Amino acid sequence: MFKKILFNTLDHVESYICQALLAFFVVILFLQIILREIGTPLYWSEEVARFSFVWFVFFGASYAARLAAHNRVTLQFKLFPPIVGEISMLLMDVVWIVFNSVMTWKGIQTIQDLIEFPYSTPALDWQLSWVYMIFPISFTLMSLRILQVNYIKWILKQEIEDPDKADIEKSKNALKGEEG
C-alpha cells in the first residue's frame, strides 16, 4: 500500500509542483494588483512571479513528457507500416534525450559560471545561480520521464493514454449524461 502511494506521488511530482507554483504566482500577482491600487506596491512581487512562472513552465514540460503529451507530427507515418512509425518515434526520443542531456550540461556550466561570477537579481538580491537550477533539474527530469514512458510502452506493453483524447471522452460522456 505504502509503495503504491509512494510511486503514485513520484509519478505526479511535477504536477503537484506545477499546481503549487501556479497558485503561488497567481496569488502574488493578485496581491500586487490590489496593493498597487492602494498605493503600496510590492516591488519584489513581479520578480518572484516571473521566476515562479519560469519554474512552472519547465516542470510542466517535464510532466507533459510523462503524459506523452508533447506535440508530435506523425501524419507522415500513416503511409508506412506501423513499425516504421514506432521505430521513428523511438529514434526521435533518443534525439530528444541527447538534446536534454546537452541542455542539462549547458545549464550546469551556466550555473558554475554564475557561482564563479555571481550575479544577483535586482529586487530580491537572490543569486541567479539558484534561479537557473531549473535548467538541469527540468531537463534531467524530462529525460527520465521519456525513458519511463518508453519503458511503459515497450517493456510493460501498456498503452499511454492520450490526455487530449481522454478529456474529449470525458466531455462526451458528460454531455450524454446531461442529455439522458
Side-chain angles (χ1 to χ4, degrees):
M1 178 68 176
F2 174 75
K3 191 176 178 180
K4 186 176 181 179
I5 293 170
L6 177 66
F7 282 132
N8 188 41
T9 302
L10 289 175
D11 201 33
H12 295 89
V13 70
E14 295 101 330
S15 173
Y16 302 138
I17 292 171
C18 283
Q19 292 171 30
L21 287 170
L22 178 64
F24 177 73
F25 77 73
V26 166
V27 167
I28 289 293
L29 287 175
F30 180 73
L31 186 63
Q32 170 67 352
I33 291 167
I34 298 300
L35 291 176
R36 189 180 292 165
E37 288 299 316
I38 295 172
T40 56
L42 299 173
Y43 296 105
W44 53 267
S45 66
E46 292 176 35
E47 208 166 87
V48 168
R50 184 179 325 118
F51 297 149
S52 298
F53 182 74
V54 168
W55 278 59
F56 166 77
V57 167
F58 281 98
F59 275 116
S62 177
Y63 189 59
R66 167 57 189 99
L67 298 176
H70 282 274
N71 292 332
R72 295 174 180 230
V73 179
T74 58
L75 182 65
Q76 69 275 15
F77 300 133
K78 303 268 187 219
L79 302 173
F80 299 102
I83 191 71
V84 173
E86 291 174 8
I87 290 173
S88 297
M89 296 297 276
L90 189 60
L91 289 174
M92 294 304 2
D93 282 347
V94 170
V95 170
W96 191 5
I97 290 171
V98 168
F99 172 78
N100 288 344
S101 300
V102 170
M103 291 301 292
T104 299
W105 177 246
K106 290 299 184 182
I108 291 169
Q109 286 180 331
T110 301
I111 290 167
Q112 289 172 339
D113 289 345
L114 286 170
I115 290 171
E116 186 178 347
F117 304 104
Y119 182 80
S120 298
T121 60
L124 295 168
D125 198 34
W126 287 355
Q127 290 297 317
L128 214 51
S129 58
W130 289 101
V131 176
Y132 277 48
M133 287 292 231
I134 189 59
F135 291 103
I137 291 169
S138 66
F139 283 105
T140 300
L141 274 174
M142 215 178 307
S143 294
L144 292 173
R145 294 308 191 175
I146 294 165
L147 291 172
Q148 180 184 15
V149 165
N150 280 296
Y151 176 79
I152 291 168
K153 183 177 178 181
W154 295 98
I155 306 298
L156 299 179
K157 304 287 187 201
Q158 296 176 1
E159 190 65 34
I160 305 286
E161 185 180 28
D162 182 1
D164 292 332
K165 288 182 182 175
D167 288 341
I168 290 170
E169 287 301 316
K170 283 181 189 176
S171 297
K172 284 180 181 177
N173 292 338
L175 288 173
K176 287 179 184 176
E178 288 176 6
E179 292 172 3

